[in-house]
Amino acid sequence: MFPITLRPDQMAKELAEFGEKLTHGSRTLAGIGDIEVGACAKEVVYQEDKLTLYRYQPRVKQPHPVPLLIVYALVNRPYMTDLQEDRSLVRGLLDAGLDVYLIDWGYPDAADRFLNLDDYINGYIRRCVDRIRARSAQERINLLGICQGGAFSLCFSALHPERVRNLVTMVTPVDFHTPDNLLSHWVRQIDVDLLVDTLGNVPGELLNWTFLTLKPFRLTGQKYVDLVNILEKEEAARNFLRMEKWIFDSPDQAGEAFREFVKQFFQDNGLVKGTVEIGGRRVDLKDLSMPVFNVYATQDHLVPPASSLAMKSLVGTRDYSEFAFRGGHIGIYVSGRAQKEIPAAVAEWLNARSG
Amino acid sequence: MADGNERDKGPGRDWAEAQRKYWDAWLELSRQAPEGSQPWQQALEGMLKFMGPPAGAGTTGSEVSDRLLEQGRAFFQFGDEMMGLLRRMQSAAQAGEAWQARFGQGLETLREGFGKAGEQAAGAAQGALAFWGLPLDTWRRVSSAFSTLPGDFLGGLKNEGVSHLHAGVERSLSAPALGYTREWQEQAQHGARLWLDYQKAQQDYAELLGHVNSAALERLMARLEKMAEAGEQVDNLRGVYDLWVDASEEAYAEVVATTGYAERHGRMVNALMAWKHHAQLMSEEFTTAANLPGKREMDTAHRRIQALRREVNELRETVAMLQARPGAGGAPAEQPAVKSTRTRPAEKKAAPRRKGAAAAARSTASRKTDK
């Protein structure tokens, strides 16, 4: 028998209900006002160009003496780590007693077009690290690199091991040529020299399009049909809009840095081959002598687990640990389970090594 | 595969008869609507007018609201079309036909209808396109921002149309340039070729994506047959929609993982960049003639400024290091890095460094940049 047993009166009822929810939802959205992001108090401790280095206000009396610097990706905004009160990796880390700093890269414009990976890694990150080392009177600090920021942290730690006490990476790509890496599969066919020479900075909107086309039916269609059920409650709507704000808040990418990252990491798979060169120095992951904690998401469609797990055989340290989070690339920051699991795991691992 | 003739006898016939009555009643209601109208969409428009966003509402949710309404309309359209399709299914069930072929044809017709509508679609109507899965539509919207000619006015042209156009224009573009503006003519010809290359690449990409729809249809049919065999039923429109989305994502994932897709995707992006790059070079002629700085000059200036800034940073750090040496005197010009020494514990060095940090923070604050 035909497995669709829809009756016209049922469909009519369903469509009427959908329409009603849609109109109510539309009104909710219209009256919701500005969407605020960020939950934890923080102060500016350093600024340079578009970059701002924040220190979050500790939430325990005696925070851990070794500070933790979060290095986020360039392609999205770092407030995903502190989205709202009940979805905040930063808050979890602060509650676990850590002294947390974060680099906000800002929004590059045409004047930043010639910033390259040397500027970002040996320039910005190093100066931020040195600033924190001086403030905290610690020779070495802890780094937590997220996604592309994780790749940057790997490079920084390999080039400046004397400054890094422990390295934590989250959803960080290492092997860019795993068979399930769709992004890399597509990007390898792009003439990135022509792209950057033409566009200068690479528009965030172009990157958004690329991310949306990973799952276009869900991300551009079904998600908004699902939304009618969310919009009945204003708080749920606000939560949705915070996520939406973050997803489409993609800064343009400084042209030279983008060119180098795509060519050396995506196209040449340089971290695996040991061919990445930054500021004239070769990056060898065997130089990672400090303890490394690799946190990855088992259902990550942007950074497949295999891409992260390749780190194990490449790093020089004997103290390498992994943590598998059952979820996706975004869920690892914002899901309810992530709030419980991730900060606790990171803090426990660091506490065991920073005493 | 389920055999409709076998299955739709006995109780099945009674069920079909009951369904037919329902659908006939619905058809009667639909006839009361004006010719060619979509009663559910009309109802939605009416509701939106009555309850819609107040004028001057904040813009925070407006983009999301647009997407929501876009997809809402697409869902309504899906509902309308599905009603028509299911009504036709009843007559097939009554005639004892196997449902698979009839349903498959119906879905194909539905998809083609969306495709045709898409050729003239604009604004909110594009939502229906997105429902049928056109990442290409998003690409057109995005890429128009990088184009010297916004939009995609060959978007509705079939691939063979572009090929014929390409061949025809190529002949005329091959005519030798003459006279005083010969070089300019050649550049313009080259630009036109690059533009046609981009159109062709875009059509090739769209053609490949077109396979997703038919593959999705096959997957959906296979899924429905499995459900029929297992005696499972979908009894709401949203369930049917979700089945279609699942089938589409699976089919899409299979296509985009191929080398062929990556190559066409790459060709499309590269072709657009080649055309735009050429257009930039030609525009430089105008800016130069008008004595205005063009992209080349700006790039040169920015490159040199960036190189200078690197040098300044290095010099600053060198000076700070020299000043931090014992007996050098003077406040450090820049926060010195903590020297890695194994002879003294870090805590003992904390106090002077903190003082330095404050000084450095002041000097940093005094040269706040372009935030």
Side-chain angles (χ1 to χ4, degrees):
Chain A
M1 190 184 285
F2 183 51
I4 298 176
T5 55
L6 273 170
R7 290 195 334 231
D9 54 333
Q10 288 172 328
M11 283 175 71
K13 187 166 177 278
E14 190 178 347
L15 285 170
E17 284 171 359
F18 181 84
E20 211 171 307
K21 284 180 179 176
L22 193 59
T23 47
H24 279 295
S26 173
R27 277 188 78 83
T28 305
L29 285 173
I32 213 158
D34 286 339
I35 294 295
E36 301 295 330
V37 292
C40 298
K42 58 185 186 288
E43 59 170 333
V44 175
V45 296
Y46 177 62
Q47 283 186 296
E48 183 184 351
D49 302 339
K50 305 288 192 302
L51 174 152
T52 306
L53 174 64
Y54 290 106
R55 184 197 185 204
Y56 285 92
Q57 194 176 311
R59 289 172 59 86
V60 296
K61 275 186 180 175
Q62 286 274 308
H64 201 288
V66 183
L68 174 71
L69 171 62
I70 297 176
V71 181
Y72 200 76
L74 303 176
V75 293
N76 281 108
R77 302 283 294 128
Y79 56 77
M80 175 50 91
T81 58
D82 182 37
L83 198 63
Q84 60 191 59
E85 203 73 23
D86 57 347
R87 298 186 189 189
S88 172
L89 169 69
V90 168
R91 189 187 174 111
L93 295 169
L94 293 169
D95 286 342
L98 296 170
D99 184 6
V100 181
Y101 290 76
L102 178 139
I103 296 174
D104 180 339
W105 300 111
Y107 295 87
D109 61 30
D112 301 301
R113 183 238 186 280
F114 290 96
L115 284 173
N116 59 24
L117 292 185
D118 183 30
D119 296 315
Y120 275 104
I121 292 167
N122 293 320
Y124 290 145
I125 294 178
R126 187 176 57 80
R127 284 191 285 276
C128 286
V129 167
D130 286 350
R131 186 67 45 151
I132 298 166
R133 288 165 66 216
R135 280 176 59 96
S136 62
Q138 293 288 329
E139 287 191 31
R140 294 175 299 153
I141 65 164
N142 296 326
L143 276 192
L144 192 164
I146 297 176
C147 189
Q148 182 192 28
F152 283 10
S153 300
L154 285 168
C155 294
F156 178 83
S157 303
L159 294 169
H160 306 278
E162 75 284 354
R163 288 173 163 87
V164 183
R165 184 153 181 172
N166 297 293
L167 172 62
V168 183
T169 56
M170 266 176 73
V171 289
T172 294
V174 175
D175 184 348
F176 284 74
H177 286 189
T178 54
D180 51 356
N181 193 327
L182 257 192
L183 270 182
S184 173
H185 174 64
W186 297 348
V187 164
R188 275 179 265 171
Q189 300 294 332
I190 304 281
D191 183 344
V192 71
D193 286 324
L194 177 61
L195 185 89
V196 172
D197 291 346
T198 303
L199 298 177
N201 286 346
V202 177
E205 201 181 353
L206 179 59
L207 299 177
N208 269 336
W209 172 73
T210 306
F211 295 137
L212 288 177
T213 54
L214 289 168
K215 288 181 186 287
F217 299 87
R218 293 203 202 292
L219 299 178
T220 65
Q222 191 181 37
K223 184 171 88 169
Y224 298 99
V225 174
D226 285 339
L227 184 55
V228 295
N229 297 319
I230 295 172
L231 292 179
E232 287 172 339
K233 292 179 181 167
E234 189 171 309
E235 197 44 47
R238 283 185 180 282
N239 290 349
F240 177 91
L241 287 173
R242 277 191 201 99
M243 283 292 298
E244 195 75 352
K245 178 185 174 115
W246 177 81
I247 286 167
F248 291 102
D249 191 358
S250 297
D252 294 349
Q253 300 297 293
E256 288 311 305
F258 184 86
R259 184 201 310 265
E260 290 179 1
F261 192 74
V262 167
K263 286 173 90 162
Q264 295 202 60
F265 291 73
F266 275 97
Q267 295 184 336
D268 297 342
N269 207 17
L271 279 181
V272 170
K273 292 180 182 170
T275 55
V276 171
E277 266 195 28
I278 293 168
R281 288 179 61 195
R282 182 72 57 90
V283 173
D284 186 350
L285 296 187
K286 286 280 177 258
D287 293 336
L288 292 172
S289 49
M290 70 292 300
V292 175
F293 188 43
N294 184 13
V295 181
Y296 65 98
T298 56
Q299 292 148 29
D300 195 328
H301 73 293
L302 284 168
V303 179
S307 176
S308 282
L309 292 171
M311 193 188 300
K312 185 178 182 178
S313 61
L314 295 167
V315 294
T317 182
R318 290 182 183 178
D319 185 356
Y320 170 87
S321 319
E322 286 166 359
F323 182 86
F325 173 75
R326 193 162 46 81
H329 194 79
I330 310 296
I332 201 167
Y333 319 110
V334 295
S335 74
R337 203 156 34 77
Q339 310 310 308
K340 295 188 188 82
E341 290 181 16
I342 303 295
V346 170
E348 186 186 342
W349 185 86
L350 284 173
N351 287 335
R353 287 159 182 80
S354 305
Chain B
M1 186 184 266
D3 182 349
N5 287 327
E6 285 305 309
R7 285 182 178 277
D8 293 345
K9 286 179 182 170
R13 290 297 286 251
D14 297 338
W15 174 84
E17 177 60 21
Q19 290 287 297
R20 189 187 61 76
K21 287 178 180 170
Y22 272 117
W23 287 105
D24 286 346
W26 175 253
L27 181 63
E28 192 53 41
L29 277 175
S30 296
R31 279 183 185 139
Q32 294 168 21
E35 187 66 30
S37 70
Q38 292 170 309
W40 287 106
Q41 288 204 61
Q42 285 186 330
L44 174 64
E45 299 294 340
M47 273 191 281
L48 285 171
K49 276 181 192 163
F50 180 66
M51 303 175 62
T59 56
T60 303
S62 67
E63 276 194 38
V64 177
S65 188
D66 287 348
R67 287 169 196 271
L68 175 72
L69 296 179
E70 209 176 73
Q71 288 307 313
R73 286 188 180 96
F75 186 64
F76 268 69
Q77 196 174 340
F78 177 70
D80 268 344
E81 300 285 350
M82 196 52 70
M83 281 190 178
L85 173 58
L86 291 176
R87 188 165 48 75
R88 291 193 293 277
M89 289 295 298
Q90 302 315 312
S91 56
Q94 279 221 288
E97 286 179 38
W99 59 266
Q100 288 86 347
R102 179 64 70 102
F103 190 67
Q105 285 166 4
L107 271 184
E108 187 58 43
T109 308
L110 206 71
R111 189 184 64 76
E112 282 173 8
F114 273 97
K116 280 178 188 157
E119 289 173 14
Q120 293 92 32
Q126 292 278 18
L129 278 183
F131 167 73
W132 289 101
L134 283 183
L136 183 64
D137 167 52
T138 318
W139 164 253
R140 283 174 180 151
R141 296 190 208 191
V142 171
S143 65
S144 68
F146 316 140
S147 306
T148 43
L149 301 166
D152 170 36
F153 54 89
L154 284 190
L157 203 60
K158 294 273 179 281
N159 206 354
E160 59 271 20
V162 173
S163 301
H164 290 316
L165 181 72
H166 202 299
V169 175
E170 182 58 44
R171 276 196 296 277
S172 64
L173 290 176
S174 300
L178 297 167
Y180 180 68
T181 60
R182 187 181 58 79
E183 284 184 15
W184 177 256
Q185 288 173 50
E186 282 178 352
Q187 283 190 25
Q189 286 174 332
H190 184 54
R193 278 196 202 94
L194 290 172
W195 180 76
L196 284 172
D197 288 347
Y198 169 56
Q199 293 300 329
K200 178 73 172 67
Q202 194 177 224
Q203 291 294 334
D204 287 346
Y205 177 74
E207 188 180 51
L208 187 63
L209 279 183
H211 298 320
V212 171
N213 281 321
S214 41
L217 195 60
E218 284 170 23
R219 282 172 183 270
L220 180 63
M221 292 301 294
R223 178 75 199 276
L224 288 172
E225 280 174 17
K226 269 190 185 170
M227 288 174 69
E229 284 167 19
E232 294 172 14
Q233 308 234 304
V234 188
D235 62 359
N236 60 76
L237 187 62
R238 182 57 207 266
V240 180
Y241 171 87
D242 287 344
L243 280 175
W244 175 254
V245 168
D246 289 348
S248 299
E249 279 295 357
E250 285 170 19
Y252 177 80
E254 200 169 272
V255 169
V256 299
T258 61
T259 304
Y261 174 87
E263 284 171 351
R264 289 194 195 201
H265 171 268
R267 271 205 301 273
M268 180 176 71
V269 175
N270 295 341
L272 175 62
M273 291 307 133
W275 173 46
K276 183 172 170 59
H277 190 67
H278 183 78
Q280 284 172 351
L281 293 177
M282 289 183 75
S283 70
E284 293 277 331
E285 304 267 350
F286 292 109
T287 52
T288 304
N291 201 25
L292 291 168
K295 186 173 178 292
R296 263 183 305 210
E297 285 95 332
M298 292 305 292
D299 279 354
T300 302
H302 285 144
R303 189 183 288 110
R304 286 177 184 169
I305 290 168
Q306 188 58 41
L308 277 172
R309 294 170 75 256
R310 282 181 201 125
E311 283 179 34
V312 169
N313 272 325
E314 281 173 30
L315 289 169
R316 239 189 225 138
E317 287 174 13
T318 305
V319 169
M321 224 161 41
L322 292 170
Q323 286 180 331
R325 282 183 178 174
E334 175 66 29
Q335 178 61 37
V338 181
K339 283 189 176 177
S340 178
T341 55
R342 297 181 189 281
T343 51
R344 290 193 299 164
E347 290 72 15
K348 286 186 181 175
K349 295 186 283 180
R353 263 200 307 277
R354 282 210 181 94
K355 195 174 173 184
R362 279 196 299 276
S363 73
T364 304
S366 69
R367 52 167 206 279
K368 280 267 170 68
T369 51
D370 41 9
K371 276 288 284 182

